[in-house]
Amino acid sequence: VGGGLIVKVTLGPAGPDADVSPGITLLEAWPGRAGLDPVCGGKGRCGGCRVRILDGDVSGADEDEIEVLARLGSRPEHRLACRVRVLGDVRALADPPGGAARTPDHRGSVPVSTPAAPSVAAAGRLGLAVDLGTTKLAGYLADLGTGTLLETDAIPNPQRRFGADVISRLGYALTSPRHYRQVREAVALGVTELADRLCRKAGRSRGAIREMTVAGNPAMHHLLLGLDVTTLARAPFQPATVEPITVPAREIGLPIPALVYFLPCIAGFVGGDHVAALLATGAGTLRGGALIVDIGTNAEITLARDGTLTTCSCASGPAFEGAQISRGMRAVAGAVDKVWLEGGRLRFRVIGGGAPAGICGAGLLDLVAALLATGTIDRSGRLRAGAEGVGLLLTQADIRELQLAKAAVRVGIEALLRETGTAVEAIERVYLAGSFGTNLDPEKAVAIGLFPPLSPDRFVAVGNAAGQGALSTLTSPEKRAEAVCLARKVRHLDLTSRPGYQEHFLGALGF
Ligand code: FES
């Protein structure tokens, strides 16, 4: 067959045809990749592009392909579409292990815990989904045989000793290959420790973990995979890759006999954790307007509107997580998490009861809203003279920290509304992901200007949506395909390069 010829690829007896040039791979020729789940991006590793060749003229299989096909328990007519070169007319059927990928169904508005799909073949085997966050690593251990969720747990990210935020950790990692190794090993040890804790709690062994999925922000994702982080650390903050990746755990320093699936990323500051949150909220199929907001040290926000997705990220800083606040702490026992006015006096609630040890992000937001209502803080954020240290030791500097954080998020939301021509009233739902989002009081968040004026009943707390999304991809080729679709569908907005960003930010600082 000469290079100038056209050959026909037919997908099954009644499937669509494609006219292609000979020599390209069957995966490249496959219309819309329909029915396939090429999660490794065509690297011949995942098996998700497995097809049955019904007849036709194709290249032979090499040893690597034969090995992957054998691992999947394939039949002689099976091939990997990313390895097969089309030499003449071909008829083929998609046949990825675990069933064909499909377009996601419409989901309800509130995500639910989605354990792995049960499988008799997987009896005794475990799956581990990890949400790889800057501050903490959260894990979900599932029994692949029964499809039940066995345990969940979280540990602090051991990389903290190299810096509280992503940029300082990347900066440290880039100073020498030894430092890079240290930062990388820290996260690998963290994931191993998390796996051990979960297995101990479940009375199982780490050696039974056979499938893993990881949803992480791009820095965590790159470091665990051992990818180059040079371009992630400086403007314009480009990831080395955004493709989904599947690797054996041992290749990335995890002493676990599993294959690890990393969810795809979107941009330099928007990673697989946000893709997983979009997956868990069914963002790709939401009708009307919705915001999916995950606020941590960095905030990722997506505006979903009639099937389109526009995303931005903002440096919200650590104030919402209770850090860099004089009496700030995380939302754990001893933290004030609610503050309100009663008969003109401040009342508060402490997690677990007892005397307050400090205040978490949600409590801080409540407190500032209450002090705004009483006029103790003015619209510019200034504490009235004599009000310094109002019972909970809130300082002027704390208020400034909160103003910077809320302005960053608000500017992001306004930019998304502006860029998509969406009126505030068209936002029917605001999905709040993550711990801060789960704890905050929407009314207070609107009162301090973190969110535009929307009625509290439009806000829905969805818990750790990133973890839920990662869990749902543990054994489901459909969910992995959906994650890839979502990541590709998203339009990413780089806020800082937008005209007028600085002015918008300054304008959003006041209350
Ligand atoms: S896409 Fe072919 S094996 Fe992964």
PDB file of all heavy atoms in Angstrom, residues 27 37-50 68 80-83, ligand 1:
ATOM      1  N   LEU A  27      -5.667   3.829  16.494  1.00  0.00           N
ATOM      2  CA  LEU A  27      -6.231   4.772  17.467  1.00  0.00           C
ATOM      3  C   LEU A  27      -6.389   6.159  16.820  1.00  0.00           C
ATOM      4  O   LEU A  27      -7.408   6.834  16.998  1.00  0.00           O
ATOM      5  CB  LEU A  27      -5.324   4.871  18.702  1.00  0.00           C
ATOM      6  CG  LEU A  27      -5.831   5.776  19.826  1.00  0.00           C
ATOM      7  CD1 LEU A  27      -7.152   5.264  20.400  1.00  0.00           C
ATOM      8  CD2 LEU A  27      -4.794   5.889  20.951  1.00  0.00           C
ATOM      9  N   ASP A  37     -10.993   3.667  25.625  1.00  0.00           N
ATOM     10  CA  ASP A  37     -10.654   4.351  26.876  1.00  0.00           C
ATOM     11  C   ASP A  37      -9.122   4.500  26.939  1.00  0.00           C
ATOM     12  O   ASP A  37      -8.465   3.877  27.768  1.00  0.00           O
ATOM     13  CB  ASP A  37     -11.167   3.487  28.036  1.00  0.00           C
ATOM     14  CG  ASP A  37     -10.942   4.152  29.369  1.00  0.00           C
ATOM     15  OD1 ASP A  37     -10.839   5.391  29.409  1.00  0.00           O
ATOM     16  OD2 ASP A  37     -10.844   3.424  30.372  1.00  0.00           O
ATOM     17  N   PRO A  38      -8.563   5.287  26.031  1.00  0.00           N
ATOM     18  CA  PRO A  38      -7.098   5.319  25.913  1.00  0.00           C
ATOM     19  C   PRO A  38      -6.436   6.166  27.010  1.00  0.00           C
ATOM     20  O   PRO A  38      -5.835   7.192  26.741  1.00  0.00           O
ATOM     21  CB  PRO A  38      -6.881   5.935  24.522  1.00  0.00           C
ATOM     22  CG  PRO A  38      -8.081   6.786  24.297  1.00  0.00           C
ATOM     23  CD  PRO A  38      -9.218   6.203  25.096  1.00  0.00           C
ATOM     24  N   VAL A  39      -6.536   5.684  28.248  1.00  0.00           N
ATOM     25  CA  VAL A  39      -6.131   6.522  29.376  1.00  0.00           C
ATOM     26  C   VAL A  39      -4.629   6.793  29.431  1.00  0.00           C
ATOM     27  O   VAL A  39      -4.201   7.776  30.016  1.00  0.00           O
ATOM     28  CB  VAL A  39      -6.592   5.946  30.727  1.00  0.00           C
ATOM     29  CG1 VAL A  39      -8.075   6.024  30.884  1.00  0.00           C
ATOM     30  CG2 VAL A  39      -6.123   4.522  30.898  1.00  0.00           C
ATOM     31  N   CYS A  40      -3.787   5.925  28.857  1.00  0.00           N
ATOM     32  CA  CYS A  40      -2.348   6.200  28.926  1.00  0.00           C
ATOM     33  C   CYS A  40      -1.927   7.126  27.794  1.00  0.00           C
ATOM     34  O   CYS A  40      -0.753   7.435  27.633  1.00  0.00           O
ATOM     35  CB  CYS A  40      -1.529   4.922  28.921  1.00  0.00           C
ATOM     36  SG  CYS A  40      -1.456   4.105  27.316  1.00  0.00           S
ATOM     37  N   GLY A  41      -2.912   7.562  27.002  1.00  0.00           N
ATOM     38  CA  GLY A  41      -2.619   8.530  25.945  1.00  0.00           C
ATOM     39  C   GLY A  41      -1.905   7.897  24.761  1.00  0.00           C
ATOM     40  O   GLY A  41      -1.140   8.568  24.078  1.00  0.00           O
ATOM     41  N   GLY A  42      -2.120   6.600  24.529  1.00  0.00           N
ATOM     42  CA  GLY A  42      -1.528   5.961  23.355  1.00  0.00           C
ATOM     43  C   GLY A  42      -0.116   5.466  23.570  1.00  0.00           C
ATOM     44  O   GLY A  42       0.634   5.269  22.623  1.00  0.00           O
ATOM     45  N   LYS A  43       0.256   5.235  24.827  1.00  0.00           N
ATOM     46  CA  LYS A  43       1.625   4.776  25.113  1.00  0.00           C
ATOM     47  C   LYS A  43       1.727   3.254  25.174  1.00  0.00           C
ATOM     48  O   LYS A  43       2.771   2.702  25.498  1.00  0.00           O
ATOM     49  CB  LYS A  43       2.103   5.375  26.433  1.00  0.00           C
ATOM     50  CG  LYS A  43       2.234   6.885  26.385  1.00  0.00           C
ATOM     51  CD  LYS A  43       3.013   7.396  27.574  1.00  0.00           C
ATOM     52  CE  LYS A  43       3.154   8.905  27.525  1.00  0.00           C
ATOM     53  NZ  LYS A  43       1.858   9.602  27.645  1.00  0.00           N
ATOM     54  N   GLY A  44       0.620   2.564  24.907  1.00  0.00           N
ATOM     55  CA  GLY A  44       0.663   1.111  24.886  1.00  0.00           C
ATOM     56  C   GLY A  44       0.728   0.480  26.261  1.00  0.00           C
ATOM     57  O   GLY A  44       1.158  -0.664  26.404  1.00  0.00           O
ATOM     58  N   ARG A  45       0.313   1.192  27.298  1.00  0.00           N
ATOM     59  CA  ARG A  45       0.451   0.669  28.655  1.00  0.00           C
ATOM     60  C   ARG A  45      -0.859   0.231  29.299  1.00  0.00           C
ATOM     61  O   ARG A  45      -0.887  -0.694  30.076  1.00  0.00           O
ATOM     62  CB  ARG A  45       1.036   1.748  29.561  1.00  0.00           C
ATOM     63  CG  ARG A  45       2.511   1.949  29.413  1.00  0.00           C
ATOM     64  CD  ARG A  45       2.873   3.072  30.323  1.00  0.00           C
ATOM     65  NE  ARG A  45       4.295   3.227  30.457  1.00  0.00           N
ATOM     66  CZ  ARG A  45       4.845   4.305  30.978  1.00  0.00           C
ATOM     67  NH1 ARG A  45       4.093   5.281  31.408  1.00  0.00           N
ATOM     68  NH2 ARG A  45       6.145   4.402  31.076  1.00  0.00           N
ATOM     69  N   CYS A  46      -1.931   0.977  29.002  1.00  0.00           N
ATOM     70  CA  CYS A  46      -3.138   0.795  29.816  1.00  0.00           C
ATOM     71  C   CYS A  46      -4.079  -0.281  29.287  1.00  0.00           C
ATOM     72  O   CYS A  46      -4.859  -0.847  30.037  1.00  0.00           O
ATOM     73  CB  CYS A  46      -3.903   2.113  29.902  1.00  0.00           C
ATOM     74  SG  CYS A  46      -4.593   2.635  28.329  1.00  0.00           S
ATOM     75  N   GLY A  47      -4.020  -0.552  28.021  1.00  0.00           N
ATOM     76  CA  GLY A  47      -4.931  -1.541  27.448  1.00  0.00           C
ATOM     77  C   GLY A  47      -6.315  -0.993  27.142  1.00  0.00           C
ATOM     78  O   GLY A  47      -7.176  -1.699  26.625  1.00  0.00           O
ATOM     79  N   GLY A  48      -6.530   0.271  27.461  1.00  0.00           N
ATOM     80  CA  GLY A  48      -7.857   0.862  27.300  1.00  0.00           C
ATOM     81  C   GLY A  48      -8.264   1.039  25.838  1.00  0.00           C
ATOM     82  O   GLY A  48      -9.432   1.318  25.538  1.00  0.00           O
ATOM     83  N   CYS A  49      -7.312   0.863  24.927  1.00  0.00           N
ATOM     84  CA  CYS A  49      -7.659   1.011  23.509  1.00  0.00           C
ATOM     85  C   CYS A  49      -7.794  -0.359  22.850  1.00  0.00           C
ATOM     86  O   CYS A  49      -7.696  -0.475  21.624  1.00  0.00           O
ATOM     87  CB  CYS A  49      -6.597   1.834  22.795  1.00  0.00           C
ATOM     88  SG  CYS A  49      -5.007   0.999  22.756  1.00  0.00           S
ATOM     89  N   ARG A  50      -7.993  -1.410  23.670  1.00  0.00           N
ATOM     90  CA  ARG A  50      -8.057  -2.765  23.096  1.00  0.00           C
ATOM     91  C   ARG A  50      -9.222  -2.893  22.111  1.00  0.00           C
ATOM     92  O   ARG A  50     -10.326  -2.429  22.399  1.00  0.00           O
ATOM     93  CB  ARG A  50      -8.194  -3.805  24.198  1.00  0.00           C
ATOM     94  CG  ARG A  50      -7.986  -5.224  23.684  1.00  0.00           C
ATOM     95  CD  ARG A  50      -8.028  -6.231  24.803  1.00  0.00           C
ATOM     96  NE  ARG A  50      -9.372  -6.369  25.349  1.00  0.00           N
ATOM     97  CZ  ARG A  50      -9.691  -7.229  26.311  1.00  0.00           C
ATOM     98  NH1 ARG A  50      -8.745  -7.994  26.843  1.00  0.00           N
ATOM     99  NH2 ARG A  50     -10.926  -7.312  26.766  1.00  0.00           N
ATOM    100  N   VAL A  68       1.159  -6.664  27.324  1.00  0.00           N
ATOM    101  CA  VAL A  68      -0.009  -5.947  27.866  1.00  0.00           C
ATOM    102  C   VAL A  68      -1.283  -6.725  27.575  1.00  0.00           C
ATOM    103  O   VAL A  68      -2.146  -6.902  28.444  1.00  0.00           O
ATOM    104  CB  VAL A  68      -0.091  -4.513  27.276  1.00  0.00           C
ATOM    105  CG1 VAL A  68      -1.381  -3.832  27.712  1.00  0.00           C
ATOM    106  CG2 VAL A  68       1.111  -3.693  27.698  1.00  0.00           C
ATOM    107  N   LEU A  80      -4.006  -3.739  20.497  1.00  0.00           N
ATOM    108  CA  LEU A  80      -4.079  -2.394  21.062  1.00  0.00           C
ATOM    109  C   LEU A  80      -4.113  -1.399  19.907  1.00  0.00           C
ATOM    110  O   LEU A  80      -3.171  -1.362  19.090  1.00  0.00           O
ATOM    111  CB  LEU A  80      -2.862  -2.115  21.953  1.00  0.00           C
ATOM    112  CG  LEU A  80      -2.714  -3.007  23.190  1.00  0.00           C
ATOM    113  CD1 LEU A  80      -1.442  -2.642  23.961  1.00  0.00           C
ATOM    114  CD2 LEU A  80      -3.946  -2.898  24.097  1.00  0.00           C
ATOM    115  N   ALA A  81      -5.171  -0.607  19.841  1.00  0.00           N
ATOM    116  CA  ALA A  81      -5.333   0.297  18.694  1.00  0.00           C
ATOM    117  C   ALA A  81      -4.182   1.289  18.585  1.00  0.00           C
ATOM    118  O   ALA A  81      -3.833   1.718  17.487  1.00  0.00           O
ATOM    119  CB  ALA A  81      -6.667   1.040  18.808  1.00  0.00           C
ATOM    120  N   CYS A  82      -3.576   1.635  19.741  1.00  0.00           N
ATOM    121  CA  CYS A  82      -2.486   2.624  19.663  1.00  0.00           C
ATOM    122  C   CYS A  82      -1.212   2.000  19.114  1.00  0.00           C
ATOM    123  O   CYS A  82      -0.258   2.697  18.804  1.00  0.00           O
ATOM    124  CB  CYS A  82      -2.249   3.269  21.028  1.00  0.00           C
ATOM    125  SG  CYS A  82      -1.579   2.161  22.271  1.00  0.00           S
ATOM    126  N   ARG A  83      -1.167   0.652  19.020  1.00  0.00           N
ATOM    127  CA  ARG A  83       0.023  -0.041  18.511  1.00  0.00           C
ATOM    128  C   ARG A  83      -0.155  -0.528  17.072  1.00  0.00           C
ATOM    129  O   ARG A  83       0.816  -0.726  16.348  1.00  0.00           O
ATOM    130  CB  ARG A  83       0.332  -1.245  19.402  1.00  0.00           C
ATOM    131  CG  ARG A  83       0.908  -0.856  20.744  1.00  0.00           C
ATOM    132  CD  ARG A  83       2.117  -0.031  20.478  1.00  0.00           C
ATOM    133  NE  ARG A  83       2.961   0.151  21.637  1.00  0.00           N
ATOM    134  CZ  ARG A  83       3.541   1.306  21.937  1.00  0.00           C
ATOM    135  NH1 ARG A  83       3.333   2.361  21.180  1.00  0.00           N
ATOM    136  NH2 ARG A  83       4.332   1.417  22.957  1.00  0.00           N
TER     137      ARG A  83
HETATM  138  S1  FES B   1      -4.031   3.861  24.667  1.00  0.00           S
HETATM  139 FE1  FES B   1      -3.337   2.063  23.872  1.00  0.00          FE
HETATM  140  S2  FES B   1      -2.686   1.006  25.551  1.00  0.00           S
HETATM  141 FE2  FES B   1      -3.288   2.847  26.375  1.00  0.00          FE
END
